[in-house]
Amino acid sequence: MDKIKLSHGGGGIDSRNLIDSIVAILGNPILNSLEDSAILKFPHEKLAFTTDGFVVKPIFFPGGDIGKLAVCGTINDLSVMGARPLALSLSLIVEEGFSKTDLEQILYSIKETAGDVPIVTGDTKVVERGSADGIFITTTGVGAQLINAKPSASRIEPGDFFIVSGSIGRHGAAIMAKREELGFSSELVSDVANLSSMLVPIFDKFGEDIKTCRDVTRGGLAAIISELSHSSDVGVEIHEERIPVDADVSGICAALGIDPLTLACEGRVLLAVKPEIADAVVLMLSSTEHGTKSSIIGLATKDHKRKTYLITEIGGSRILEPPAGELLPRIC
Amino acid sequence: MDKIKLSHGGGGIDSRNLIDSIVAILGNPILNSLEDSAILKFPHEKLAFTTDGFVVKPIFFPGGDIGKLAVCGTINDLSVMGARPLALSLSLIVEEGFSKTDLEQILYSIKETAGDVPIVTGDTKVVERGSADGIFITTTGVGAQLINAKPSASRIEPGDFFIVSGSIGRHGAAIMAKREELGFSSELVSDVANLSSMLVPIFDKFGEDIKTCRDVTRGGLAAIISELSHSSDVGVEIHEERIPVDADVSGICAALGIDPLTLACEGRVLLAVKPEIADAVVLMLSSTEHGTKSSIIGLATKDHKRKTYLITEIGGSRILEPPAGELLPRIC
């Protein structure tokens, strides 16, 4: 039987066997102890703590799967706060009838993506057929924030530069292309990536001159910039031609009438930094695997607070609105 | 419109409005900052970290709801490890069409149950109608383990006493009674409770003489005792007449042919302690709201390792097996 049964979630012998098989893949001394909480030494001052649920559809897509997405999303949420990821928890909600082989593949993907960040505690629930769509994953992460890291959505000042770490919208475009109903045959690959090794050294080097750092997920660059301009009470000017968008992504966007600025990424960040370090940050990002296309895209202004002006290639400008209405559901 | 829409999960304006309404209920300075990770001061040595997903059906039941259950479950998983709960994260997976009024009621329940433990970070996803069953919640907790607390499933030695903190099986029985298909009219109330104020002082006072402490959830007392006997490689003898079971619970169990020892609780723990402190532990538990019926129920033995003998009221004995097969699904 290659299927998850309801009894795998009941707390009896089948549950124990399922947990044993999960632990066999993800195992480490803390997880193996199967206590009700993991106990971690924490000789640091500042604890970073973040959670995300993942419901992506389809669960396997070019460049990743729901497991890789969950680990990257959570590790990135720690990393953008200037925190070294220390450990993850993993909560699975699985539909009765889900393939054990698929579950195993997702677990191996989780293990590989997490690298040296251990999964130290977890939980598995099973719901009846039709009460969930395959598998949902919630990962939670704890990390140690670097002493000098002080990123905050409210610290941006007029004059600060905005930097994006790579070409945008690939994840959203890859999911759209993969969904059969759209009938695309493209194998556009998601940008999903674990960014801790790119970001932690940036915070280590530039400290509080990194004013804020956000991973560009649901709602895309348009949503994040809007949020930041509100939180910091500044205006924003972005130069459209400086925003990296790959040709395959803009192709799909043109075909579907979607603005790539509203598409989710899962391996890109937006930083706001002091202007004097902006070039050095781009240089450092560019030398990393996932930062090769990093680019200064604009700056914060004293004028037109809480509004973002997008300056187009031909020199015109339009206000960039946060996305509204029904965006692409279940992108992450 | 009193319904959750897909756009509430998309990352645009509707998402922001939903998040604002959640934060308005649960708010505190850390959550309000809406950063990608919460940052907490942690001037302690040992970090306790635990996660649980909740899929209980029905989501409102006598004595609680999925929100209260989630908070209690996570706080209790910290508390049984001798850790003071410091903060929680909250991940919601909501079905399109779910009632906003119900969501609000669940959030108020979460806030009330958590008491002075803040919800510091969270995430909300929305899936299409039919892709989830109403709402699923994953809560994760961080806490500071007391220096002298060293509970572990593997520390039980022959001679140690087992104590249960109250009457067992109420949560499982309440859920069964509530499910319409069973046609019970009883208003049997779940035992779901936040046990931190009961347990943390026990660890504070008795330190490492508390060998282990487990909350009795899925699989009931039968599953937990079996797990502990395996982890510590001891035998167990339990005296049936010393296990508190309320009359309304045993009534339902008799009617349905279910063993109350396999029913989940959500506000009861099993402790294994050094024999010389057992009476003092019971005395201390008995003085608390949720420990009035606490009782020494048996002890660990050198003989019949990994087997639990249940000594019946008439003096006979039978082996208590861990529950097998399809137990009550979605009990938590």
Side-chain angles (χ1 to χ4, degrees):
Chain A
M1 281 284 290
D2 180 45
K3 301 289 180 192
I4 295 292
K5 297 179 291 180
L6 271 180
S7 61
H8 283 118
I13 289 173
D14 285 347
S15 285
R16 192 191 291 178
N17 290 339
L18 178 63
I19 290 167
D20 286 347
S21 69
I22 293 172
V23 170
I25 295 172
L26 300 178
N28 55 68
I30 300 177
L31 183 64
N32 298 353
S33 74
L34 292 179
E35 302 289 351
D36 282 334
S37 298
I39 301 294
L40 308 167
K41 286 184 190 150
F42 194 83
H44 313 282
E45 285 182 27
K46 296 186 290 179
L47 172 68
F49 179 41
T50 188
T51 195
D52 261 324
F54 293 86
V55 298
V56 67
K57 182 180 179 177
I59 56 175
F60 297 98
F61 52 83
D65 56 68
I66 191 170
K68 180 175 183 179
L69 194 63
V71 170
C72 290
T74 299
I75 284 182
N76 292 350
D77 277 346
L78 295 171
S79 305
V80 296
M81 293 298 288
R84 282 184 209 282
L86 295 181
L88 298 176
S89 71
L90 177 68
S91 164
L92 306 175
I93 295 174
V94 187
E95 184 187 12
E96 178 188 13
F98 191 71
S99 154
K100 278 191 189 172
T101 308
D102 285 354
L103 177 59
E104 201 165 279
Q105 189 177 335
I106 290 165
L107 292 169
Y108 278 111
S109 172
I110 285 171
K111 184 182 172 69
E112 186 191 337
T113 308
D116 58 0
V117 181
I119 316 298
V120 294
T121 189
D123 183 56
T124 305
K125 293 293 189 308
V126 181
V127 297
E128 318 88 302
R129 206 178 294 265
S131 289
D133 190 7
I135 185 168
F136 300 145
I137 296 182
T138 295
T139 36
T140 307
V142 289
Q145 193 183 40
L146 303 186
I147 292 297
N148 293 328
K150 285 169 186 156
S152 158
S154 60
R155 283 191 59 223
I156 305 169
E157 292 166 289
D160 287 344
F161 278 22
F162 286 99
I163 297 168
V164 70
S165 67
S167 68
I168 61 160
R170 294 196 65 83
H171 179 70
I175 295 292
M176 282 200 302
K178 181 71 183 176
R179 286 193 186 153
E180 293 167 48
E181 60 261 44
L182 294 177
F184 275 94
S185 63
S186 146
E187 273 290 285
L188 207 162
V189 174
S190 165
D191 52 27
V192 58
N194 176 336
L195 299 179
S196 63
S197 65
M198 178 176 91
L199 292 175
V200 174
I202 294 272
F203 280 100
D204 202 24
K205 175 156 185 175
F206 297 103
E208 60 187 270
D209 288 349
I210 306 294
K211 299 296 195 72
T212 193
C213 181
R214 284 286 171 118
D215 54 339
V216 182
T217 56
R218 280 184 291 179
L221 204 58
I224 303 292
I225 290 183
S226 165
E227 274 179 45
L228 294 177
S229 70
H230 279 75
S231 297
S232 284
D233 201 28
V234 294
V236 178
E237 282 174 24
I238 297 292
H239 292 263
E240 192 170 28
E241 88 279 4
R242 302 203 52 117
I243 303 173
V245 185
D246 293 329
D248 47 3
V249 172
S250 41
I252 280 190
C253 286
L256 295 173
I258 289 175
D259 183 349
L261 298 186
T262 66
L263 276 183
C265 319
E266 292 291 343
R268 303 289 181 248
V269 296
L270 177 71
L271 301 104
V273 305
K274 277 201 166 176
E276 48 270 38
I277 65 161
D279 285 333
V281 170
V282 168
L283 201 66
M284 198 162 162
L285 287 170
S286 301
S287 71
T288 67
E289 180 185 357
H290 300 293
T292 52
K293 293 185 182 171
S294 62
S295 167
I296 296 169
I297 61 169
L299 81 174
T301 64
K302 207 160 55 178
D303 300 332
H304 56 81
K305 286 184 176 175
R306 304 186 174 211
K307 283 199 169 46
T308 299
Y309 278 88
L310 192 70
I311 296 154
T312 58
E313 298 191 30
I314 54 168
S317 76
R318 65 175 172 98
I319 291 182
L320 181 66
E321 299 282 1
E326 196 168 306
L327 302 172
L328 201 58
R330 298 182 60 184
I331 197 79
C332 60
Chain B
M1 282 283 290
D2 179 45
K3 301 288 181 193
I4 294 292
K5 297 178 292 180
L6 270 181
S7 61
H8 282 119
I13 289 174
D14 285 345
S15 285
R16 193 191 290 178
N17 290 338
L18 177 63
I19 289 167
D20 286 347
S21 69
I22 294 173
V23 170
I25 295 173
L26 301 178
N28 55 68
I30 300 177
L31 183 65
N32 298 353
S33 73
L34 291 179
E35 302 289 350
D36 282 334
S37 298
I39 302 294
L40 308 168
K41 286 186 191 150
F42 194 83
H44 313 282
E45 285 182 25
K46 296 186 290 178
L47 172 67
F49 179 40
T50 188
T51 194
D52 261 324
F54 293 87
V55 298
V56 68
K57 182 181 178 178
I59 56 175
F60 297 99
F61 53 82
D65 56 68
I66 190 170
K68 180 175 182 180
L69 194 63
V71 170
C72 291
T74 299
I75 284 183
N76 292 350
D77 276 346
L78 295 171
S79 306
V80 296
M81 293 298 289
R84 282 183 210 283
L86 294 180
L88 299 176
S89 70
L90 177 68
S91 164
L92 306 175
I93 295 174
V94 187
E95 184 187 11
E96 178 189 12
F98 190 71
S99 154
K100 278 190 188 171
T101 308
D102 284 353
L103 177 59
E104 202 165 277
Q105 189 178 336
I106 291 165
L107 292 169
Y108 278 111
S109 171
I110 285 171
K111 185 183 171 69
E112 187 191 337
T113 308
D116 57 0
V117 181
I119 314 297
V120 294
T121 190
D123 183 56
T124 305
K125 293 293 189 309
V126 181
V127 298
E128 318 90 300
R129 206 178 293 266
S131 290
D133 189 7
I135 185 168
F136 300 145
I137 296 182
T138 295
T139 37
T140 307
V142 288
Q145 193 183 41
L146 303 187
I147 294 296
N148 293 328
K150 284 169 186 156
S152 158
S154 59
R155 282 191 59 223
I156 305 170
E157 293 165 287
D160 287 345
F161 278 22
F162 286 99
I163 296 168
V164 69
S165 68
S167 69
I168 62 161
R170 294 197 65 84
H171 178 71
I175 295 292
M176 281 200 303
K178 181 72 182 174
R179 287 193 185 152
E180 293 165 48
E181 60 261 43
L182 293 178
F184 275 94
S185 63
S186 146
E187 272 289 286
L188 206 162
V189 174
S190 165
D191 51 27
V192 58
N194 177 336
L195 300 179
S196 63
S197 64
M198 178 176 90
L199 292 175
V200 175
I202 294 273
F203 279 100
D204 203 24
K205 175 154 186 177
F206 297 103
E208 61 187 88
D209 288 349
I210 306 292
K211 298 297 194 74
T212 194
C213 181
R214 283 287 171 115
D215 55 338
V216 182
T217 56
R218 281 184 291 179
L221 204 57
I224 303 292
I225 291 184
S226 166
E227 273 179 46
L228 294 178
S229 70
H230 279 75
S231 296
S232 284
D233 201 27
V234 293
V236 178
E237 282 175 24
I238 297 293
H239 292 262
E240 193 170 28
E241 88 280 3
R242 301 202 55 115
I243 303 173
V245 185
D246 294 328
D248 49 1
V249 172
S250 40
I252 281 190
C253 285
L256 295 173
I258 289 175
D259 183 349
L261 298 186
T262 66
L263 275 183
C265 319
E266 291 291 343
R268 303 290 181 248
V269 295
L270 177 72
L271 301 103
V273 306
K274 275 200 169 176
E276 49 270 38
I277 66 161
D279 285 333
V281 170
V282 168
L283 200 67
M284 198 162 161
L285 287 170
S286 301
S287 70
T288 67
E289 180 185 359
H290 300 293
T292 52
K293 293 186 183 171
S294 62
S295 166
I296 297 170
I297 59 168
L299 81 173
T301 64
K302 208 160 55 178
D303 299 333
H304 55 82
K305 284 184 177 174
R306 303 186 175 212
K307 283 198 170 47
T308 299
Y309 278 87
L310 192 70
I311 296 155
T312 58
E313 300 193 28
I314 53 166
S317 77
R318 65 176 171 99
I319 290 182
L320 182 65
E321 300 282 0
E326 197 168 304
L327 302 173
L328 202 58
R330 297 181 62 183
I331 197 77
C332 59

